[in-house]
Amino acid sequence: MRKSLSRVMVSAAVLLGGVLVAPLATTPAAQANVFDCIDHAVNSGATNQQAAAACEKPTTDECYQAFRAAHGAQSWAQDACERGRED
């Protein structure tokens, strides 16, 4: 009986640990991608404010349209937006 209880407790701890750690593992990567987008855009000629506003858009298309409105059609804008969406 003690062995069964120990297994249940260990299993519960592993599951709970996975639930608590999983969101922490994905959040910094998502933030890093936004920062990659912003860095690429700023290095290509966008201002910090334009880059932050565009890179935080929910989709790649919306991100690109924000850059296009300010800078016209630019390949770096598409590249920056794609960096912001990589996993």
Side-chain angles (χ1 to χ4, degrees):
M1 174 109 149
R2 275 191 142 167
K3 216 175 205 183
S4 296
L5 183 59
S6 295
R7 287 182 185 165
V8 169
M9 295 298 288
V10 169
S11 297
V14 168
L15 289 173
L16 182 60
V19 169
L20 294 175
V21 173
L24 297 176
T26 58
T27 303
Q31 289 175 346
N33 289 339
V34 170
F35 294 134
D36 290 344
C37 174
I38 292 170
D39 286 344
H40 186 71
V42 169
N43 290 335
S44 299
T47 66
N48 284 328
Q49 294 81 9
Q50 290 169 337
C55 292
E56 291 175 355
K57 297 284 185 190
T59 67
T60 302
D61 288 339
E62 289 175 301
C63 173
Y64 178 74
Q65 290 303 319
F67 282 126
R68 187 175 176 143
H71 298 281
Q74 300 288 333
S75 62
W76 61 260
Q78 184 69 32
D79 293 341
C81 292
E82 289 173 358
R83 288 178 189 215
R85 303 303 182 277
E86 290 176 357
D87 292 325

